[in-house]
Amino acid sequence: MTQTDLKPAVYFIGAGPGDPDLLTLKAYKILAQADIILYADSLVPKQILRDVRADAQLIPTGNKVLEEILPLMIEKVRNNQIVVRLHSGDLTLYSAIYEQIKALNAANIPFELVAGISAFQAAAAKLAVELTVPDLVQTIILTRISGAASAVPESEELASLAAHKASLCLYLAARHAETAQAKLLEHYAPDTPVAICFRVGWEDEKIVVVPLEKMAVVTQTENLIRTTLYIISPALTANQSVRSQLYHPEHSHLFRPHKKG
């Protein structure tokens, strides 16, 4: 991607969980060319911006409201500038881009979404686990608990999701760890492993695996009130002798049919 590839527009970029090496190559190239970058400074570490242009205008948005952010993005694009709206993690999860996209469409401002790595993916990689182990768990649920800024629909209440006993990735719940733990314990066994993942990809990253019954007390003892993800899954300590059929010698498919004779 060269400078001439980019047209004036708003580029929504998922910054990933915090490690600049986990930026996609496309995201990195756009960041390196941007005229103005509006970034969620409370969630995106400065290290993500280490290779931007020296003359790029960097605007932290942690203290701003949408009514300040949107007019600025619209004005800059109309002035033929390349604008990056840098969000943490994966744009499809809890990124609050819906209302921004709606406003840009109404103003006839072009935009593009550039996917990012989610914290649950980065955390699973750090833990060296697969969250879908054959014959143990084959579903991943990404959810949150109701908070002041956003209520969870009643049909998606945490206890009802826990009933599936899937690999459950719980975002934005550290301030409600006791409540979340109680709801999870309605269906998961007390000794179900939970990975408490604090600031995944940041320099002060902390990841610890504890039994579900210890989730709240560890959160409180370590004072992990923000930027914490919980992964609740039997796959975290899977030790049974299981094997996927995908590469099994007796499993045939279109690209690997059984040999005749």
Side-chain angles (χ1 to χ4, degrees):
M1 181 182 288
T2 64
Q3 180 69 41
T4 55
D5 292 326
L6 290 183
K7 297 179 180 179
V10 175
Y11 295 86
F12 290 94
I13 291 179
D19 183 348
D21 291 335
L22 291 180
L23 279 169
T24 65
L25 185 57
K26 183 174 184 177
Y28 179 85
K29 289 179 177 179
I30 294 173
L31 277 169
Q33 297 180 40
D35 296 301
I36 176 171
I37 301 170
L38 298 98
Y39 68 104
D41 51 307
S42 62
L43 298 171
V44 176
K46 264 294 189 66
Q47 59 189 359
I48 295 289
L49 303 170
R50 64 188 183 189
D51 294 324
V52 302
R53 282 168 35 192
D55 62 342
Q57 185 180 1
L58 305 180
I59 301 178
T61 59
N63 64 344
K64 299 185 184 304
V65 295
L66 199 60
E67 286 73 13
E68 297 173 90
I69 296 169
L70 279 167
L72 184 57
M73 294 196 296
I74 291 169
E75 175 194 353
K76 296 295 185 181
V77 174
R78 286 177 175 165
N79 288 336
N80 294 314
Q81 292 186 292
I82 296 165
V83 177
V84 165
R85 180 70 175 107
L86 188 62
H87 285 269
S88 62
D90 170 17
L91 295 174
T92 64
L93 294 175
Y94 315 120
S95 61
I97 62 170
Y98 169 76
E99 55 264 41
Q100 297 177 73
I101 288 173
K102 187 176 178 181
L104 293 178
N105 276 327
N108 199 29
I109 296 295
F111 64 87
E112 181 178 342
L113 272 60
V114 181
I117 298 293
S118 179
F120 91 90
Q121 297 167 305
K126 290 289 182 78
L127 290 160
V129 297
E130 178 183 351
L131 296 177
T132 52
V133 176
D135 299 320
L136 180 64
V137 58
Q138 288 291 286
T139 300
I140 300 173
I141 295 174
L142 311 177
T143 191
R144 59 166 298 175
I145 198 165
S146 283
S150 181
V152 173
E154 188 177 344
S155 60
E156 299 174 15
E157 201 272 330
L158 184 57
S160 65
L161 296 179
H164 296 284
K165 297 183 181 179
S167 289
L168 192 149
C169 303
L170 184 61
Y171 288 75
L172 306 170
R175 292 182 180 274
H176 312 282
E178 281 192 49
T179 300
Q181 178 180 298
K183 291 179 179 295
L184 292 166
L185 282 171
E186 290 182 29
H187 296 284
Y188 289 97
D191 62 349
T192 302
V194 177
I196 303 176
C197 310
F198 173 73
R199 287 161 73 102
V200 179
W202 292 55
E203 292 179 353
D204 57 348
E205 168 190 285
K206 182 181 296 185
I207 300 177
V208 59
V209 178
V210 302
L212 175 55
E213 61 185 350
K214 300 292 186 183
M215 184 179 103
V217 69
V218 171
T219 298
Q220 293 159 1
T221 301
E222 298 292 331
N223 196 31
L224 307 179
I225 58 172
R226 298 185 66 252
T227 324
T228 302
L229 165 74
Y230 300 94
I231 300 178
I232 302 94
S233 176
L236 292 174
T237 56
N239 56 13
Q240 57 263 65
S241 298
V242 296
R243 176 175 176 175
S244 168
Q245 293 299 303
L246 185 59
Y247 297 105
H248 196 286
E250 295 183 4
H251 178 67
S252 64
H253 54 69
L254 177 63
F255 301 101
R256 194 182 67 239
H258 276 311
K259 294 181 179 179
K260 295 182 180 179

